Amino acid sequence: MKSKIDRPTFGPGGNSQSFYDEGYKSTLQAPKWLVQKGLDAYEYQAGNGLTAGAETLKKIGEEAKAQGILMSLHTPYFISLSGVEEEKRLKSIDYISRSLRAAEALSADTIVIHTGSAAKITREEAMALAADTLTRNLEVNGNTDIRMGLETMGKINQLGTLEEVLTLCKLSPLYHPVVDFGHLNARNLGGYFPDCDSYRAIFDRIAVTLGDEYAYNLHCHFSKIEYTGAGEKKHLTFADTEYGPLFDPLAEAIVREGVCPRIICESAGTMAEDALAMKAMWQTARGA
């Protein structure tokens, strides 16, 4: 396990539009920019593939470390833990290996992995395939000290309910849940987090299933997400008043549970601004 972080931390997934509007062009400039804004975390986005070279990633990692920014990395979306074609599933292990090497260069302590699809097979079959892929992954990447995060997902035909993620995390202490509260709300068609207790239940369930340490520094994603009958449709900003979830009760839950999650904001273009709004809500909740 990584050493504990004794406070909740907040940051964006990728660069906000305001970052570019202010004249910045390179992610190498992001860590200092984030500190100036009052943020302390950043998730490097490699969803469409890892395109930056090792030297660039290392420079970003060194700058993040110098600025005190906690780093994570989102792995490519085309990783398919539950793919029915064995060749694709084995290729996914290679993508995880590359992501771990990139995370090491970035001085990131966590990678985030999508858990897979259950669109054309039963959920039981999809879970069995995902478990097989993750077990084989341990044979290749079992010596890493980087947390391999399995994310809760927003579409109903995807693997990624909280229970499915926790079941897969039981395969190894290296696997950690990554709770995307917007995804859980979307796949349950809204209203999933009506109050503080509904958020507290997530932390409690993780602690009971995996151990207190997994809940204490839980890696989270948060954004408001539009949904249809199939679940997630698109990410929104905090300016939206129609879709949820709301962060205020989560801020209260964090204080009452005494946990210190890292919360990565995935709003549409306003990630840094909305991350700052979340930090302010947390500070209000704890009476700061």
Side-chain angles (χ1 to χ4, degrees):
M1 297 293 295
K2 292 284 186 180
S3 58
K4 285 185 176 182
I5 306 298
D6 62 0
R7 70 192 189 285
T9 51
F10 300 86
N15 299 322
S16 284
Q17 183 59 44
S18 59
F19 175 81
Y20 299 107
D21 290 345
E22 291 176 27
Y24 297 96
K25 297 181 180 180
S26 169
T27 297
L28 184 59
Q29 299 168 300
K32 187 174 181 179
W33 185 82
L34 291 170
V35 169
Q36 291 171 345
K37 297 293 183 183
L39 296 169
D40 39 28
Y42 182 86
E43 189 155 292
Y44 187 89
Q45 299 297 294
N48 295 319
L50 279 161
T51 56
E55 275 304 308
T56 298
L57 296 174
K58 185 177 180 181
K59 288 178 181 177
I60 295 170
E62 289 171 348
E63 180 65 11
K65 188 178 292 185
Q67 297 293 337
I69 296 294
L70 300 175
M71 295 289 288
S72 54
L73 177 142
H74 199 301
T75 65
Y77 300 136
F78 41 79
I79 286 176
S80 179
L81 298 182
S82 61
V84 294
E85 296 180 33
E86 186 174 42
E87 183 179 351
K88 286 186 178 180
R89 291 196 297 116
L90 296 180
K91 188 66 175 176
S92 292
I93 296 173
D94 182 50
Y95 291 133
I96 293 173
S97 299
R98 296 184 197 179
S99 297
L100 287 168
R101 289 195 294 271
E104 187 174 357
L106 285 166
S107 297
D109 60 9
T110 303
I111 64 171
V112 178
I113 305 167
H114 282 185
T115 37
S117 173
K120 298 180 180 179
I121 53 178
T122 67
R123 301 196 79 81
E124 291 76 16
E125 290 170 325
M127 282 291 287
L129 289 170
D132 179 67
T133 307
L134 291 171
T135 299
R136 295 190 192 198
N137 177 59
L138 294 173
E139 298 171 3
V140 179
N141 295 310
N143 291 325
T144 184
D145 62 354
I146 295 171
R147 298 185 298 187
M148 291 184 276
L150 306 179
E151 184 179 359
T152 60
M153 299 304 297
K155 291 185 173 67
I156 293 171
N157 67 3
Q158 293 172 317
L159 286 185
T161 67
L162 180 63
E163 290 304 317
E164 287 167 344
V165 165
L166 294 181
T167 296
L168 293 172
C169 285
K170 289 179 183 178
L171 292 169
S172 167
L174 287 172
Y175 295 129
H176 287 242
V178 171
V179 174
D180 188 313
F181 293 100
H183 280 168
L184 289 179
N185 186 67
R187 76 176 300 134
N188 287 282
L189 308 185
Y192 196 63
F193 296 108
D195 52 27
C196 173
D197 287 344
S198 59
Y199 282 112
R200 293 181 71 186
I202 299 294
F203 292 98
D204 291 345
R205 182 63 182 151
I206 292 168
V208 167
T209 306
L210 300 177
D212 289 343
E213 64 272 23
Y214 287 84
Y216 185 75
N217 283 150
L218 181 66
H219 194 86
C220 308
H221 288 170
F222 196 96
S223 59
K224 293 185 176 184
I225 295 178
E226 181 181 349
Y227 54 84
T228 66
E232 176 189 7
K233 181 179 179 181
K234 67 177 181 179
H235 287 234
L236 305 169
T237 74
F238 275 23
D240 176 79
T241 58
E242 183 176 356
Y243 294 91
L246 295 175
F247 186 77
D248 300 80
L250 175 53
E252 181 184 351
I254 289 169
V255 173
R256 292 178 63 182
E257 287 290 303
V259 292
C260 297
R262 186 184 311 173
I263 302 184
I264 298 298
C265 183
E266 292 190 320
S267 291
T270 59
M271 300 84 79
E273 289 76 12
D274 292 349
L276 275 172
M278 290 191 286
K279 183 176 181 179
M281 290 179 216
W282 165 70
Q283 290 171 327
T284 299
R286 72 185 182 104

